[in-house]
Amino acid sequence: MHKDVEKILFSEERIARRVAELGGEIARDYEGEAPLMVCILKGACVFFADLIRAAGIPLSIDFMAVSSYGAGSVSSGRVKIEKEVGQDVSGRHVVLVEDIIDTGNSLCALKELFSSRGAASVKICAFLDKKARRTAPVEADYVGYEIEDAFVVGYGLDYAERYRQLPYIGVLRKEVYEK
Ligand code: IMP
Ligand code: MG
């Protein structure tokens, strides 16, 4: 597994420090609001678990899954809801938690969806942001790190369902997905 990684972008220690900062920002912005934190599965699961504990304020959680990628490493631009949240979101302050924003298609669609359901507010927290690849008009309110256009894995991020359990974020060797 580690041998398929070309270089480590963010170590486990660095990630922990950044997530603590993001949790602090959310705690400050949402104090007394009991936000609904929505984990966008599967990629955000590791980040989400760390983030909600770092925030340390009263909040509730839910899960949603969308797909736009299939098994490949290039976005197809389609968004399909695979798993729905299990509650009424109207009047709630919602924070959509995502592993990475690439084209922005999925989050753009999700943000509109939660707004149309009457959420009091909808913000986006993404651990990584590949800003250069954005095609949909969407910005994250909280970002861990902005990164160059490279395919990364680890800390929840996968390639063909592998590498999610790596404790760091690394660039996947091209040979792995170009063969
Ligand atoms: P978007 O809709 O194009 O912004 O796609 C975002 C989704 O694409 C993320 O939630 C990831 O699942 C996936 N994705 C984008 N870039 C990467 C990457 O470098 N590694 C792993 N997954 C990625
Ligand atoms: Mg994802």
Side-chain angles (χ1 to χ4, degrees):
M1 215 170 39
H2 299 279
K3 69 177 182 355
D4 294 343
V5 173
E6 186 183 301
K7 69 169 178 204
I8 295 178
L9 284 187
F10 305 108
S11 67
E12 193 172 356
E13 295 74 23
R14 207 167 153 202
I15 291 171
R17 283 199 299 273
R18 187 67 189 118
V19 174
E21 290 171 359
L22 291 172
E25 284 181 42
I26 288 175
R28 194 190 58 220
D29 295 353
Y30 287 89
E31 210 193 332
E33 309 267 21
L36 172 62
M37 310 280 292
V38 178
C39 174
I40 312 300
L41 295 170
K42 301 172 195 167
C45 72
V46 181
F47 172 45
F48 187 76
D50 287 344
L51 183 70
I52 59 172
R53 287 178 292 175
I57 52 164
L59 52 80
S60 51
I61 65 170
D62 213 322
F63 298 87
M64 195 155 184
V66 295
S67 66
S68 62
Y69 254 56
S73 61
V74 179
S75 176
S76 65
R78 283 191 331 267
V79 175
K80 184 167 156 240
I81 295 177
E82 309 276 6
K83 190 218 169 292
E84 260 296 356
V85 285
Q87 60 194 281
D88 182 8
V89 304
S90 65
R92 300 297 305 273
H93 291 286
V94 173
V95 182
L96 302 173
V97 181
E98 189 43 311
D99 50 359
I100 186 167
I101 317 188
D102 186 24
T103 65
N105 275 324
S106 5
L107 278 170
C108 191
L110 283 173
K111 199 169 178 182
E112 277 172 25
L113 183 71
F114 279 83
S115 298
S116 74
R117 290 176 177 175
S121 66
V122 188
K123 284 195 181 177
I124 291 171
C125 176
F127 192 63
L128 300 175
D129 187 356
K130 280 190 199 172
K131 235 185 187 134
R133 288 191 27 96
R134 195 68 36 79
T135 54
V138 68
E139 285 298 326
D141 302 279
Y142 307 94
V143 176
Y145 296 102
E146 206 178 296
I147 61 165
E148 308 278 290
D149 182 14
F151 198 80
V152 294
V153 293
Y155 198 57
L157 290 136
D158 74 309
Y159 170 66
E161 296 302 331
R162 294 173 60 201
Y163 310 105
R164 292 193 196 275
Q165 76 275 39
L166 291 175
Y168 52 78
I169 288 173
V171 176
L172 192 62
R173 284 189 193 284
K174 279 211 167 60
E175 305 89 88
V176 177
Y177 55 89
E178 281 181 350
K179 67 186 169 203

